[in-house]
Amino acid sequence: MAGTLHRLPTVTPARRLAWRAGAIAAALAITTLFLALSGRDPRLLADLVVRSAVGSRFGLEDLALFLTPLLLTGAAVTVTGRIGVWNIGAEGQFYAGAIGATAVGLFLPGPAWLVLPLMAACGIACGMGWILLPALARAYAGVNEIITTLLLNFVAGLLTTYLAVGPWHDRVTGALASTGRLPVRIPEIWGVVHWGFPIALAIVLALAWLTTRTRWGYQITIGGANDQAARYAGIPVRARILGAMLLSGGLAALAGMFEVAGTVHRLQGGLANNFGYFGIVVAVLARGSCLNVLPAALLMAFILDAGIVLQTQQLTASAVLAITGLVLFMIAIADELAHYRPVTVRRATTGAEARP
Amino acid sequence: MTDPRHAPADGPPPIAPGTPPILQLQGICKYFPGVIANQDVSLDVAPGEIHALLGENGAGKSTLMNVVTGIYQPDGGEIILDGYGQSFAAPQDAIRAGIGMVHQHFKLVPAFTVAENIHLGWRETPFRASAKTLESRTRALSERFGFSVRPDAVVADLSAGEQQRVEILRVLARQARLLILDEPTAVLTPAETRDLFRALRAFRARGNAVILISHKLDEVIDISDRISILRAGRHVGTWRTADCTAAGLATIMVGREIVRRDLRARAPGAAAIARDPGAAAPVLSLRGASCRDARGIETLRDVTLDVHGGEILGIAGVAGNGQRELTQVLTGMMPLSAGTVLLDGAPVPLADPAAFARAGIGHIPEDRLRSGLAPSLDITDNMALREYARPPIGRHGLYDRAAAARLAGTIVAAAEVRVPDLATPIRNLSGGNQQRLVARREIRIASRVLVAAYPSRGLDIGAIATVLRYLTDLRDQGVAVVLVSEDLEELLNVADRIGVLFHGRLMATIDAATADMETIGLLMGGRSAPNGPTSGGGHA
């Protein structure tokens, strides 16, 4: 290498966006390469993906259904990220929310206008309860929240399966793997897309306002940027960590409630479908900004949607995870490389990321 | 303890004439960008000698020892060991050559046992290292070198003195012949100090050498054979301890060309010191204030002081003698374990920094990037740190970014800092500009008191003059200023009274106009002032 690299202290949004676009292109190029090597016609597949995912009404409806939980779990992880805490447990809180909502839906008969808000409230309370212990341990004892929230995911997943095949299982049809169909449902607004979608959008916008335009949001931002400075300014950092984590748990739980009451209509094992984990991916892509959760969740939803299409073409379901990982990996590289500029030699400004 | 071979029990052993010094430094220079850390330092350490190294903070002691132990490479000069030139590419080379250093902050693994710590990263550790083997080896070492340790104890459970013995034993086990101790007695009780000195004398009696860095003049005179003094990176001189007095050493150590530029003169119309009898209660007071750190060690002991409106109270002392705790107590960041904080004569029930700020107490913290700013956030967010909850920025629980930006613009203008735009992350500014911004931000808060910890640290001369002018302006407006500094020149020029901290205790508060270096130096070294011009203001 003849030239030296110069590190830029700050990167403009345009520059970062350009690098990220390059990263996604590179990830797609690598995916294409592997599809071609495995004997498929990438052009045909790409055509199919685009036509069925965004070129058809069914594809767009599916996109919106994927987007709804991703917006909420992505926002959940982003909110804690702003105060420097990683909620890896959105998956578990999603399940907890679904369980709480199902309990109300199954055992509390009543009109939909009354039962649905109760389901949401109970679901959110369960999600908050699910994160309460890790949040208290983190705020008051400094226990690493990454481990505690993660491990509780498995507990919640198994509890859901237990309820679905055990005490709550469907006694009408005799199906063993799920509860009976819930008597109430979130009304649809467009095809299979239910009201959860616009509500999730509105919640993300409200969170963007909450985190940047309120005193609470400012305190969270300072606490996340430098907790010593926050203490110096008299910000109650522990209470803010607790509050942000509870909010996060509630958001992920609401995603679970939407999923169970709007899309699946029954509680079953595997209901969360990794939405909690994909929420982490969304948050990483969003870089701490709730507004950025919108495009990040859209990208993630598109990848999931494309995955469905690819599965109809006899590709394994793991291909989606591999593509997600590849995109994330490339974007991580691009975010870092965006800080560098070759000083003498103007070469290798674009090619670097395409090299696997 | 009598050793039949030597007449004086633990005295220096007889050394054959012509024996080369264990360590000889010739013209050592070490530069950092914009700083001369060491310039032309030459000194030698003979076998069978305890050599004390004295100097103020920033005099270059640590840099010099880092050169000797191979952590830094010198930019000039030579290191000669036993008469042969040496250069250390890495700390391991220095350890192999028999130089061992015990740092002020121990470098032990708290979760490991004593035996494991001793054997960590040591080439002589047996390949099959069972706990039993390591413990019996440790016991043998402990007996051989006369440092009693408990091999199976976990380091985290040990007292500071015990941890230090482990640290020293670890160095001695690696065949150190030159032991360097940085402030070894700072964490020790008097009994532990006596034990340490007995062991050091025994070590010396075997023909080894010790370099002892200390600020405690009494101890230095008690244990050392010779004393070298560094000042501003240069070697001032080396004296036989027998020829030295504590007072003389204090004068040499701090007695550089002090430019006494009296900044005490008030501008016409400035507020007078509200200290006369009959005046209102002092703005801020401490009564018997003590606090403890996480390990339960008392870091501030029974401090009583008054700060009056319209005066600058200087706080002198060697770093780490309670200054941090004092500033944190005065600004509500740290609760007291005993005693009270009084604001306008009324006790303050709760240590709450936000409440202190609302009461008009500003705070320029010691380490501005770590505790006074959020480096990754922009100038606007950082300047709003004190006023985000008050109108016009904070109303009805909101955070008005436009109002915050206007405030930031005001502060930037008052600080006369040129910034490209207010959305620049504050870490991109120079240290001097950061300090000016923090100072102006806090001056807006300080309607009653400003507590400024090392406000001129790391600044160039121009920026220092600016920051000191801020303080005197504030004083003239009738605000009380507490100035913590390691720069005596600054304190003597600016402060009205100077309090000296030593081991968390306020040794005395003296009148700055008539203070002399010798008295301050003695107080900083833990001696009470003989009959110094102690003013009554301190212990009211």
Side-chain angles (χ1 to χ4, degrees):
Chain A
M1 272 288 194
T4 51
L5 289 174
H6 176 69
R7 192 180 160 90
L8 307 167
T10 47
V11 179
T12 60
R15 184 181 171 84
R16 190 185 302 283
L17 210 60
W19 273 92
R20 286 191 160 198
I24 292 168
L28 285 180
I30 294 169
T31 311
T32 309
L33 180 74
F34 275 89
L35 287 175
L37 283 177
S38 63
R40 290 163 201 282
D41 185 348
R43 261 213 329 234
L44 213 68
L45 284 175
D47 187 47
L48 192 67
V49 163
V50 171
R51 259 191 305 122
S52 30
V54 288
S56 77
R57 175 165 174 157
F58 292 123
L60 286 176
E61 285 177 18
D62 268 357
L63 201 62
L65 281 188
F66 279 129
L67 200 46
T68 307
L70 287 173
L71 284 171
L72 290 173
T73 55
V77 182
T78 301
V79 163
T80 54
R82 285 187 74 87
I83 199 164
V85 170
W86 279 103
N87 176 15
I88 305 298
E91 185 91 353
Q93 295 130 29
F94 186 107
Y95 276 122
I99 292 172
T102 306
V104 172
L106 284 180
F107 304 112
L108 203 76
W113 61 266
L114 182 66
V115 173
L116 282 175
L118 279 178
M119 284 172 74
C122 181
I124 289 171
C126 287
M128 287 182 168
W130 207 253
I131 203 177
L132 182 65
L133 208 60
L136 287 172
R138 167 63 214 251
Y140 293 96
V143 177
N144 188 326
E145 76 286 354
I146 295 178
I147 312 288
T148 50
T149 54
L150 172 70
L151 292 181
L152 280 173
N153 287 346
F154 306 108
V155 180
L158 291 170
L159 183 63
T160 305
T161 307
Y162 164 73
L163 289 171
V165 303
W168 292 359
H169 87 260
D170 189 356
R171 285 169 221 281
V172 180
T173 65
L176 270 179
S178 72
T179 64
R181 191 179 169 86
L182 292 172
V184 293
R185 56 189 298 165
I186 301 176
E188 276 94 19
I189 48 169
W190 185 62
V192 293
V193 181
H194 54 82
W195 271 97
F197 176 58
I199 293 174
L201 276 179
I203 286 176
V204 170
L205 291 175
L207 285 172
W209 173 81
L210 180 75
T211 49
T212 56
R213 299 295 157 115
T214 65
R215 183 177 303 169
W216 191 82
Y218 177 77
Q219 292 180 332
I220 296 262
T221 308
I222 296 287
N226 183 354
D227 66 331
Q228 279 198 41
R231 291 206 176 89
Y232 158 85
I235 293 170
V237 180
R238 289 175 168 175
R240 292 297 167 268
I241 288 178
L242 195 61
M245 289 183 80
L246 288 180
L247 174 63
S248 175
L251 287 166
L254 187 62
M257 182 270 173
F258 283 174
E259 193 70 6
V260 82
T263 310
V264 181
H265 307 297
R266 43 168 52 90
L267 188 69
Q268 57 190 37
L271 175 86
N273 213 358
N274 288 337
F275 283 130
Y277 293 115
F278 288 130
I280 301 166
V281 178
V282 171
V284 168
L285 295 177
R287 293 181 69 91
S289 152
C290 286
L291 221 46
N292 288 352
V293 165
L294 298 174
L298 184 65
L299 174 67
M300 193 65 235
F302 178 75
I303 292 173
L304 291 179
D305 213 10
I308 303 281
V309 178
L310 291 178
Q311 276 181 58
T312 63
Q313 300 300 306
Q314 276 75 50
L315 258 92
T316 84
S318 322
V320 180
L321 286 177
I323 296 171
T324 312
L326 197 59
V327 168
L328 203 60
F329 181 57
M330 286 294 151
I331 283 181
I333 293 175
D335 279 357
E336 190 52 34
L337 287 181
H339 277 282
Y340 290 92
R341 200 171 50 192
V343 180
T344 48
V345 181
R346 281 202 58 81
R347 202 166 51 88
T349 34
T350 49
E353 72 203 37
R355 225 170 287 138
Chain B
M1 275 191 35
T2 43
D3 190 334
R5 281 171 297 171
H6 305 309
D10 280 336
I15 300 294
T19 308
I22 283 195
L23 172 73
Q24 201 174 354
L25 301 177
Q26 285 189 345
I28 297 289
C29 302
K30 181 70 196 174
Y31 311 109
F32 296 109
V35 181
I36 298 171
N38 287 136
Q39 174 76 45
D40 203 18
V41 176
S42 302
L43 55 86
D44 59 89
V45 181
E49 173 182 46
I50 297 180
H51 197 113
L53 194 57
L54 291 180
E56 287 184 292
N57 292 107
K61 304 181 301 269
S62 298
T63 307
L64 188 65
M65 289 306 108
N66 283 337
V67 166
V68 170
T69 53
I71 294 171
Y72 294 151
Q73 316 302 317
D75 293 323
E78 267 187 288
I79 301 173
I80 298 162
L81 279 179
D82 298 317
Y84 296 98
Q86 288 274 4
S87 69
F88 301 135
Q92 286 77 10
D93 295 347
I95 292 169
R96 230 165 278 138
I99 298 178
M101 173 140 186
V102 175
H103 293 268
Q104 195 175 357
H105 303 285
F106 305 139
K107 303 197 184 309
L108 298 171
V109 183
F112 281 14
T113 65
V114 169
E116 285 163 347
N117 268 290
I118 297 269
H119 287 87
L120 193 64
W122 186 21
R123 27 166 86 219
E124 287 177 32
T125 302
F127 181 69
R128 295 168 62 87
S130 72
K132 229 173 107 189
T133 321
L134 295 188
E135 279 164 25
S136 70
R137 283 175 56 95
T138 305
R139 207 163 289 118
L141 286 169
S142 157
E143 279 155 23
R144 188 166 131 220
F145 292 109
F147 280 84
S148 69
V149 295
R150 288 179 286 148
D152 56 340
V154 173
V155 163
D157 301 336
L158 299 182
S159 74
E162 288 174 307
Q163 291 193 22
Q164 187 181 59
R165 284 207 290 277
V166 177
E167 185 89 64
I168 294 175
L169 188 59
R170 185 165 77 161
V171 168
L172 295 184
R174 286 153 177 75
Q175 265 104 47
R177 293 181 305 119
L178 173 63
L179 183 61
I180 303 173
L181 299 165
D182 188 2
E183 288 282 340
T185 59
V187 292
L188 301 187
T189 64
E192 286 175 330
T193 303
R194 275 196 299 280
D195 287 346
L196 172 68
F197 283 1
R198 196 177 306 127
L200 289 182
R201 288 193 179 101
F203 181 68
R204 169 179 68 183
R206 291 194 293 272
N208 302 310
V210 177
I211 296 179
L212 181 77
I213 299 176
S214 177
H215 289 110
K216 292 187 210 167
L217 300 175
D218 286 339
E219 286 177 7
V220 163
I221 288 174
D222 177 28
I223 182 123
S224 70
D225 301 305
R226 286 194 299 161
I227 298 172
S228 290
I229 295 184
L230 293 187
R231 197 197 292 153
R234 288 161 202 271
H235 179 217
V236 182
T238 300
W239 295 268
R240 282 160 42 84
T241 306
D243 302 336
C244 294
T245 61
L249 290 173
T251 315
I252 299 169
M253 197 163 83
V254 295
R256 63 207 137 108
E257 287 294 314
I258 294 251
V259 185
R260 293 204 70 150
R261 209 157 31 95
D262 195 350
L263 297 177
R264 271 180 296 278
R266 264 57 168 180
I273 301 180
R275 205 199 315 170
D276 313 311
V283 186
L284 190 60
S285 315
L286 294 180
R287 290 285 172 272
S290 301
C291 52
R292 293 174 186 280
D293 67 7
R295 289 179 301 167
I297 294 171
E298 222 172 25
T299 45
L300 204 61
R301 298 164 207 237
D302 195 24
V303 170
T304 292
L305 61 80
D306 290 320
V307 193
H308 303 273
E311 74 162 346
I312 297 182
L313 171 66
I315 300 292
V318 175
N321 273 284
Q323 290 92 330
R324 170 183 287 268
E325 290 76 12
L326 181 65
T327 54
Q328 297 203 342
V329 161
L330 289 176
T331 53
M333 291 182 67
M334 188 185 271
L336 291 174
S337 58
T340 39
V341 185
L342 298 150
L343 190 57
D344 287 325
V348 185
L350 196 67
D352 171 5
F356 274 60
R358 275 196 300 277
I361 299 176
H363 178 198
I364 301 177
E366 180 176 347
D367 187 344
R368 52 189 172 258
L369 257 192
R370 262 179 58 206
S371 51
L373 295 170
S376 60
L377 300 183
D378 63 15
I379 296 173
T380 301
D381 279 345
N382 273 291
M383 290 303 104
L385 195 58
R386 285 298 199 180
E387 297 182 46
Y388 72 91
R390 323 178 172 177
I393 300 175
R395 261 198 270 254
H396 317 298
L398 299 184
Y399 173 68
D400 186 339
R401 285 193 63 83
R406 279 196 297 279
L407 169 73
T410 312
I411 294 176
V412 165
E416 293 164 329
V417 171
R418 265 194 298 281
V419 297
D421 85 80
L422 294 175
T424 311
I426 200 132
R427 64 161 169 242
N428 290 4
L429 302 185
S430 71
N433 283 347
Q434 288 169 357
Q435 183 69 304
R436 283 182 183 208
L437 290 177
V438 171
R440 293 308 322 186
R441 182 184 77 195
E442 296 307 316
I443 284 168
R444 286 176 59 86
I445 298 305
S447 57
R448 321 292 310 280
V449 183
L450 179 70
V451 178
Y454 309 102
S456 52
R457 188 184 267 177
L459 303 187
D460 60 40
I461 294 174
I464 291 174
T466 309
V467 169
L468 292 184
R469 199 192 66 228
Y470 290 168
L471 300 186
T472 52
D473 286 351
L474 215 53
R475 171 201 68 196
D476 291 350
Q477 290 157 28
V479 173
V481 177
V482 178
L483 169 64
V484 180
S485 178
E486 55 205 351
D487 186 344
L488 285 180
E489 180 176 319
E490 182 176 297
L491 287 176
L492 285 168
N493 288 340
V494 173
D496 298 297
R497 290 183 298 146
I498 298 177
V500 184
L501 279 175
F502 176 74
H503 274 218
R505 214 176 273 287
L506 190 65
M507 299 297 286
T509 309
I510 57 183
D511 196 339
T514 55
D516 65 292
M517 299 302 296
E518 189 187 322
T519 312
I520 296 180
L522 283 172
L523 289 169
M524 281 169 62
R527 287 274 190 100
S528 35
N531 285 311
T534 310
S535 82
H539 289 269

